[in-house]
Amino acid sequence: MGFGGPLTITTPTDTQIVIVRQFDAPRHLVFACYTQAPLIKRWLNGAEGWIMTVCEFEAKVGGKYRYEWKAPSGYVMGMGGVIREIEPVERVVSAELFDDDWTGGETVSTLRFDEEQQRTTLTNTINYSSKEARDGALKTPMADGMEFGYKKLDQVLAELAGAAP
Amino acid sequence: MPSPAALDATFQALADPTRRAILARLAQGEASVMELAAPFDMSQPAISKHLKVLENAGLISRGRDAQRRPCKLEAKPLAEATGWLIEYRKYWETQFERLDDLLGELKRLEAMAGKNN
């Protein structure tokens, strides 16, 4: 189940996170915002107060990408990956790794862009290599929230809703 | 923000279907251990063990009545865990709102350039 609002985050299996969001724009634009560095830089700013300092994206199979953000404290968070598959306006599959390897190994992200009546549904499915790798992600507060918390909370909310008179 | 240990305890307590069922029952009102045990094919000591886990996590409290010690749902840890999760949802929502703005701008540029998909 979702959490209300336009964005949903679910964890359908032990090794996956799925983020779904709709955009009021045709998919060639959403795809562009995900695959052209000057556009990526315009929106993928990280958390409040963080600044994106490096943004590189080679939109081709085998192409590399690299992002870095700087926190107000001066801490620099970096991540990068390799494009495994790219199907213009439809699909991007990439393998990525945070510099600090919070996720216990590489994760594979599949972005799917579906368009209906000039609106795009973006589905980002993030696969961890194993449950152990996924559990490594539990060490980060963010992954903790997404991976563990939502799954449990979804169940609880569903059960509480089902039990309500 | 709840402490990591408190969150761990909350989620660990929620990780069991029997305990979630107990919480769902208590969401409708206080209940005795016997009432809580009734729907389950489980011994009273087994139910008591689950109640202990929920109590330690602060998710339920027990009455102090001499005859009866009814169980009561404590909403605070659950609310804290929910609030904490919502922070992370907000993070993504903020990113995507910026993307919404950028898409709006790109749509206007395309319209100005006379491109109608």
Side-chain angles (χ1 to χ4, degrees):
Chain A
M1 69 179 271
F3 219 96
L7 167 71
T8 65
I9 300 179
T10 52
T11 53
T13 73
D14 276 352
T15 55
Q16 283 183 322
I17 308 174
V18 180
I19 301 167
V20 181
R21 172 66 142 79
Q22 282 203 335
F23 296 95
D24 185 20
R27 65 177 174 179
H28 70 272
L29 292 183
V30 185
F31 183 85
C33 289
Y34 264 94
T35 54
Q36 293 179 25
L39 295 177
I40 296 168
K41 205 173 173 193
R42 294 277 303 275
W43 70 273
L44 198 63
N45 294 55
E48 191 67 46
W50 289 54
I51 302 162
M52 196 171 196
T53 49
V54 174
C55 181
E56 293 159 10
F57 196 100
E58 274 186 287
K60 61 179 187 190
V61 173
K64 291 190 173 64
Y65 66 98
R66 172 85 196 153
Y67 305 141
E68 282 179 22
W69 297 267
K70 196 169 171 187
S73 67
Y75 170 73
V76 173
M77 180 176 81
M79 66 175 294
V82 178
I83 311 301
R84 289 194 178 169
E85 293 171 43
I86 185 160
E87 190 71 48
V89 313
E90 279 175 26
R91 226 165 94 86
V92 179
V93 182
S94 63
E96 66 187 24
L97 188 62
F98 279 88
D99 292 356
D100 291 337
D101 192 15
W102 290 335
T103 49
E106 218 171 52
T107 61
V108 178
S109 155
T110 300
L111 289 166
R112 217 182 66 222
F113 305 84
D114 292 307
E115 183 180 329
E116 210 170 311
Q117 292 174 334
Q118 307 281 301
R119 281 180 66 81
T120 303
T121 301
L122 168 83
T123 308
N124 185 8
T125 304
I126 305 165
N127 277 288
Y128 291 88
S129 54
S130 65
K131 189 174 181 304
E132 286 66 38
R134 200 285 306 270
D135 290 345
L138 294 178
K139 290 184 189 114
T140 80
M142 168 142 353
D144 211 343
M146 297 196 303
E147 283 295 293
F148 191 59
Y150 277 105
K151 187 177 195 172
K152 300 298 177 233
L153 194 66
D154 281 350
Q155 288 168 355
V156 171
L157 292 174
E159 282 169 37
L160 288 175
Chain B
M1 278 277 139
S3 73
L7 280 173
D8 285 352
T10 301
F11 289 127
Q12 208 179 325
L14 295 176
D16 180 272
T18 303
R19 292 197 287 269
R20 292 198 297 274
I22 290 171
L23 289 177
R25 166 64 188 82
L26 290 175
Q28 296 173 61
E30 292 185 2
S32 69
V33 178
M34 267 176 60
E35 287 165 338
L36 287 173
F40 302 105
D41 185 18
M42 230 178 249
S43 68
Q44 211 161 310
I47 292 291
S48 291
K49 223 165 138 184
H50 284 307
L51 292 176
K52 200 82 220 158
V53 174
L54 291 169
E55 202 178 350
N56 288 341
L59 291 167
I60 64 167
S61 62
R62 308 288 300 269
R64 285 172 197 278
D65 195 305
Q67 274 81 44
R68 267 181 92 237
R69 298 201 63 210
C71 299
K72 189 168 160 275
L73 185 68
E74 291 294 337
K76 197 167 165 260
L78 207 53
E80 279 177 342
T82 310
W84 175 81
L85 293 167
I86 285 170
E87 284 305 308
Y88 293 100
R89 194 170 168 283
K90 269 193 214 153
Y91 164 82
W92 284 99
E93 203 52 85
T94 308
Q95 302 287 356
F96 285 150
E97 275 163 15
R98 274 197 284 258
L99 181 49
D100 285 333
D101 293 345
L102 176 55
L103 288 166
E105 192 182 320
L106 293 174
K107 272 165 70 180
R108 280 194 300 278
L109 286 171
E110 283 197 342
M112 273 166 60
K115 185 175 176 200
N116 297 307
N117 327 278

